[in-house]
């Protein structure tokens, strides 16, 4: 079959690779209809990870079941499904409590697996014609037949649940005021999820005009961080001493208005932005090892963080990759009834052959390349 | 009346001061029967705060109501009550959600007030014969008549609820394994609370033999941090990759085995000790300003913290002073029925006149001076 | 001052009554700007309660603070406030856990007080020029100055929080399917609240065309119970075996399609409508004593209820009057930002003098008399 | 193999039956070391169900894995395991939210399966030498090697988690007062679980002296319902108007002090026993169809229940079979560390051959036959 294969830093190619096969009785094979390029694919693309040439990318996948193993009970050939990016077993301690991003079975001795990602287990990616799906009863989220909402459903594999997860980590409730740092695809999904949950005001912090415009379009209030301190801008708008909740959809590669990298910038700004007793959800990435970090502490994931103020304000913080499976069903139902339309972030629908070019443009942050969908 | 009055660093005296009076219709006056010296009083005693000479110490108070204002509805003269250390209104946003340690009414523009503590509002302390209690309907926790359980009830003002709060911040549930860093009075109360809640195993980390012995006596497993890395010791005992929950009852003045101060040591060790998706409760103190800190960042409460690993493990952290009022009633009921006896930590029962000497010995960490109760 | 005074069954009059006064230091006096007639006022109006002539009606009140007692800390003359219908202290066990509808202080030995309602304590109603508000710091919910959103804010006193409370009792979460029995003002507020919280589908069951039309207008799906069994109609629409959540906004005066009273009809239909492990919230009224009941058991509030099926399905049920105070602040914020506009249910804005006529028409269920607001 | 086989009402026999085999790749075969007789087996034994002759009883099973299918990932031959009585898939909507007693996969179109029980799917019971376990990765709870705690672990299959489930349904928290109706094995486990969770007082209501004595031994307060109204007895002891939580471990076969059956007796008494805003957990069985009921309504599971008072008090009620899997791991850990010893309820350890006699005696409620364990 044909697949997007990593060649070397800044180069992927569409190549023939061996077809995936059912390996265990609990596997399914899925013919991919839509697969997305994710911002986190760029970490590998740019050569800033241990990813070896030959890896097939793609952890945001959906399609049609082509075959199921003899131990699969509830899924059938021909069903349309979306695959949350976390490969997970469904029965370990973490999966049983909904924390499928930290599955203890699929990638030992670590916690958590994924399709097409370095360090996340031996699972081929889905930027390809076919995908092997382990524990298919658990990992396939069934969808209505046909092709309706294809773009929306594709986002159930990762960014919509990840944005929603941020609001869960932050404990967003109806009536809350929420500050979301970052208005890239995940940040926009977080803002969108907060509004779906009944937040009274949502602030989206970014500097890219197109992103801020999109935030405004869905009902959030844009805050341009190049125009002044975001916590101060937000508190001025609020007229109170802080938002109820805060979300980090940026991570360690945060840059200050002047452009220099400041790994703990967003966390520190969130402590300032959120009121005492408020809570913070972090889905932006932080790493325990970052060779390209600005200093030796940051290289080990040790960041200067305003712990004193965080404690004094009695805040809470929840972190970690999204358990996409945990949210995918309920978010799917909101899409089916038309109450959620996350595809507003989609910028391109391309063929698999266009992937190399799309990676290049997306990595260059070309205008208008926010969320690319591939259709093999 | 007579009261313990701060004179200068390392000196308090028992002096005559003006009797407190009912100032607002919602006040009560309480005749103190028991008041405790708290480890946090030593911060002021040692001159490491902005506390001015003349301040009356004491935020862990209980006694008999002597008088109530005309706006007090449910409390009466003659009732025995304990006063949670947080002065709070009961009706602001934070109090209404149980966060009385962050009351927005009693100490504006800050969040949170307390008796006898610098920066916590104009409330005289209770190491004295009498105490004025604002918002008496809210702030007085009624007790059974008589003198039974006097030592246990006195601990409801602060350390028992503070230890319990740590287990709430950490989300301790029946069957959980829990690591508690620090086996001083608060750490012991946290370990004790975790066991009361049905934890399956509790580890108490400290180096003082007397504390570790006390931890063992209540059913916790002592871990001497001078004998090796606490996370490794605990994981060896567990045979798994970490505890479900972790508690910091030490704070920023943590010292490594070798004796040097390392402000983020406990937080970093907790990230290592707790398993992925586990949660951490922090009641040990961290400050946004610490002139005596080992470096300029720590002086601003900015600590090098292992954010990368914390995120990778998908952990949660809850922080902040205890909302003692929120827990005092249920913990009182456990004392009344004999199911909780927190007084096992009490080391001395003294008169008010003995306070200056007790402060000196307690501050010198004299053997056997763990929790001192004064009876004016 | 002038007030709406109960005369005898089916008759109220606007009369001069003694002005209310500050009675306790914690009281406030409020000049009423808007007060609503509630469906529950009709129980008294129709003479089906123990209400004595002379009682002033009105438990849904808002206005401007005219005076505060010497023990009031945070409210000031001139502030615009809405008064949740529950008179409550803020500091008893129930109030501290948010259950202000069951305040143990204001109406002993019972649990819960209200303005202008028989059996709910000695509190005059607000269908009048002025209202005395006990425990003013707790019971007044501050509003923005001016007259914006007056109709919306008035509904914060009762029906908006009551509808929201139903969704809390039922545990409605984003993506849920919800069946709401009853599309009167409270049922509509419940459906509206479920949608605000991100429900994926909401079914509104009633038979009155105007109500069903209003339900449809806000995004709910109307179900006419005269057209067939509501559980079957809903399951047909769903294509599954039941909704996630169910809400009873009807109560014991339920009538079957044929018109006869069947006190447990709604509860039984909810057990059928909701899926196994689902949950049910009940805000429709059930009484422990009902002299006009269809049989002697119902007269004691004992109803034939499908307990066997309820248990077999492993369902949960939460009941009781709304703790309006608990929700009023967050719902107010949704009104201020324009994200909630509950005033879509308001049908009339009248002067106090028009109250007797309005009561008559409302009690006759005259077309178009759904929610009447009075402006003294 | 040999197994306990139902013959006809009031008769079981130990017979040779066909050995169970691996039927699906996700199955395991377990050699039974301990299996318990449950009170609910007596419903079938007495012929009051649709159970046909030939059925093998036994839903409380533990043993050693003899064989695993090719689709089993984490369980291995030779492991000691306990099998929660609910056969469940682990991946359906209900299992994913922990509600494994309502699995939608194993017994369609119903919700929930079990071993050896009529109407609960085609799963042979474990009062036999071997047992087939579907979805073995999910349904096997691993235990430490060896034979320690064998009696305690056996109770993890049903009654310990069921008792614990009752406290979860009732929302028992540290410091709570709890009334448990019924002091049979499940009621005792509920009382025991409430105490493990830190309840301040637990009342056990029954009339059998041996049961009340056992309740007292574990720290509960016995209430003999033949000595007066239980709600009044409990309120007298409490000195307040009710317990925080209530538990029904009796069900529809409740008998009044005088001996006649009153199906809703316990529910009504719980409404009286529990304070306003309190909550009730129901694990005692209620059925939608009961041919032997005292009247035609009860025969359809429709019971006269005090709905009016339940609503007036604003109580909550949770019901349903226990999701034993959800609790088995944490309760196991409490057994391993010696913090829980539920085997105090075990009365006999017998061989399989002794089963027919044991059934007879247990069904006759012979003195001392409270919980019988069989060792094939």
């Amino acid at each position: 079959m044909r697949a997007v294969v990593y060649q070397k830093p800044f180069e992927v190619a569409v190549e023939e690779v061996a077809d995936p096969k059912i390996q265990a009785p609990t596997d399914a094979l899925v013919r991919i209809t839509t697969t997305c390029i994710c911002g986190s694919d760029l970490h590998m693309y740019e050569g800033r990870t241990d990813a070896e040439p030959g890896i097939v990318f793609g952890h945001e996948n959906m399609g049609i079941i082509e075959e199921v193993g003899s131990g699969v009970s509830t899924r059938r050939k021909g069903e349309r499904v979306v695959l949350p990016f976390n490969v997970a077993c469904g029965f370990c301690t973490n999966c049983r409590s909904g924390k499928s991003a930290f599955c203890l079975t699929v990638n030992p001795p670590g916690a958590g697996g994924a399709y097409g990602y370095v360090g996340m287990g031996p699972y081929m990616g889905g930027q390809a014609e076919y995908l092997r799906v382990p524990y298919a009863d658990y990992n396939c989220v069934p969808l209505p037949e046909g092709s309706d909402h294809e773009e929306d459903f594709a986002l159930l594999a990762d960014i919509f649940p990840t944005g929603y997860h941020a609001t869960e980590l932050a404990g967003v409730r109806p009536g809350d005021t929420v500050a979301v740092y970052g208005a890239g695809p995940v940040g926009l999904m977080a803002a969108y999820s907060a509004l779906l949950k009944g937040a009274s005001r949502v602030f989206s912090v970014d500097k890219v005009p197109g992103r801020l415009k999109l935030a405004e379009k869905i009902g959030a209030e844009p805050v341009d961080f190049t125009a002044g301190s975001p916590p101060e801008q937000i508190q001025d708008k609020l007229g109170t001493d802080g938002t109820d909740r805060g979300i980090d959809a940026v991570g360690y590669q945060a840059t200050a208005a002047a452009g220099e990298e400041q790994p703990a910038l967003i966390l520190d700004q969130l402590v300032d932005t959120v009121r005492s007793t408020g809570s913070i959800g972090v889905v932006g990435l932080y790493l325990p090892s970052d060779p390209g970090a600005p200093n030796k502490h940051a290289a080990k994931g040790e960041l200067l963080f305003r712990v004193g103020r965080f404690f004094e304000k009695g805040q809470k913080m929840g972190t970690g990759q999204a358990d996409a499976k945990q949210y995918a069903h309920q978010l799917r139902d909101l899409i089916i009834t038309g109450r959620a339309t996350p595809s507003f972030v989609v910028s391109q629908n391309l063929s698999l052959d266009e992937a190399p070019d799309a990676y290049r443009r997306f990595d260059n942050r070309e205008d208008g390349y926010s969320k690319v969908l591939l259709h093999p």
Side-chain angles (χ1 to χ4, degrees), chain A:
Chain A
M1 68 167 185
R2 311 183 68 243
V4 174
V5 181
Y6 176 58
Q7 308 292 314
K8 62 180 183 187
F10 302 101
E11 189 178 329
V12 295
V14 178
E15 295 184 340
E16 278 292 322
V17 301
D19 282 3
K21 294 203 178 331
I22 298 282
Q23 296 179 13
T26 44
D27 284 356
L29 270 190
V30 171
R31 178 169 53 81
I32 298 300
T33 57
T34 301
T35 176
C36 320
I37 303 179
C38 180
S40 59
D41 288 327
L42 298 183
H43 297 299
M44 295 189 290
Y45 181 79
E46 296 175 359
R48 292 174 55 191
T49 69
D50 297 330
E52 300 280 343
I55 187 172
V56 174
F57 287 174
H59 58 269
E60 306 188 0
N61 307 307
M62 70 177 288
I64 307 291
I65 294 180
E66 190 74 13
E67 186 185 347
V68 297
S70 61
V72 174
S73 303
T74 56
R75 301 278 58 88
R76 295 285 168 263
K77 180 178 156 80
E79 282 183 328
R80 187 190 190 201
V81 294
V82 62
L83 294 325
F85 74 96
N86 328 100
V87 178
C89 72
F91 50 75
C92 71
T93 302
N94 285 343
C95 282
R96 285 203 321 274
S97 62
K99 303 300 294 176
S100 57
F102 298 86
C103 176
L104 301 168
T105 303
V106 297
N107 189 23
Y115 304 98
Y117 212 90
V118 59
M120 297 301 272
Y123 307 102
M124 195 179 280
Q127 292 174 7
E129 290 177 273
Y130 294 93
L131 179 71
R132 178 176 80 91
V133 178
Y135 302 109
D137 280 310
Y138 184 72
N139 285 311
C140 295
V141 176
L143 300 172
E145 276 186 23
S147 61
D148 281 358
H149 304 296
E150 182 87 5
E151 293 184 18
D152 296 303
F153 289 145
L155 304 181
L156 289 174
D158 183 347
I159 66 168
F160 192 14
T162 293
Y164 189 87
H165 179 61
T167 67
E168 289 286 293
L169 291 175
V172 175
R173 294 177 306 182
D176 277 352
T177 52
V178 185
V180 182
Y181 281 78
V186 167
L188 286 168
M189 287 296 110
Y192 191 62
S193 297
L195 290 163
L196 275 173
K197 281 180 161 182
S200 62
R201 297 182 76 171
V202 174
F203 301 95
S204 273
V205 182
D206 211 301
K207 69 174 177 185
V208 180
R211 292 173 163 195
L212 292 171
K213 200 163 289 176
L214 217 41
E216 192 165 16
K217 200 175 132 194
I218 59 169
E221 301 174 47
V223 174
D224 180 347
F225 70 78
T226 64
S229 147
E232 283 174 23
Q233 287 190 68
I234 291 170
Q235 281 155 23
D236 282 353
K237 284 168 189 271
L238 276 178
T240 72
D241 61 350
T243 59
D244 299 310
R245 317 288 158 211
I247 287 171
D248 176 351
V250 175
Y252 74 108
Q253 291 187 293
T255 51
E260 77 281 15
E261 221 169 86
Q262 291 190 10
L265 177 67
I266 303 301
L267 296 179
D268 284 347
Q269 289 185 332
L270 279 167
V271 169
D272 274 357
T273 303
V274 173
R275 65 172 171 82
S276 58
T277 81
S279 43
I280 296 169
V282 181
V283 294
L285 190 67
Y286 292 86
L287 294 173
S289 160
D290 173 22
N295 62 60
K296 71 176 170 144
H297 288 295
K300 294 185 289 177
E302 298 174 2
L303 309 184
L304 269 175
F305 168 54
R306 303 186 59 190
V307 173
R309 186 81 176 124
F310 176 59
F311 177 86
E312 188 189 52
K313 291 181 93 167
Q315 295 172 335
K316 296 188 168 163
M317 184 181 289
T319 72
Q321 280 204 346
D323 314 295
K325 170 72 179 177
Q326 189 177 168
Y327 313 116
H329 297 252
Q330 73 197 86
L331 298 178
R332 172 199 64 191
D333 293 347
L334 286 166
I335 291 170
I336 292 173
T337 57
R339 297 186 55 79
T341 316
S343 57
F344 70 87
V345 297
V346 173
S347 53
Q348 277 80 23
N349 280 281
L350 306 175
S351 71
L352 204 59
D353 288 330
E354 295 170 288
D357 184 57
Y359 265 92
R360 201 155 34 233
R361 291 167 182 269
F362 185 39
D363 189 53
N364 289 338
R365 275 74 181 165
E366 271 193 29
D367 205 28
Y369 272 74
S370 62
K371 190 69 192 173
V372 178
L373 272 51
L374 304 173
H375 305 284

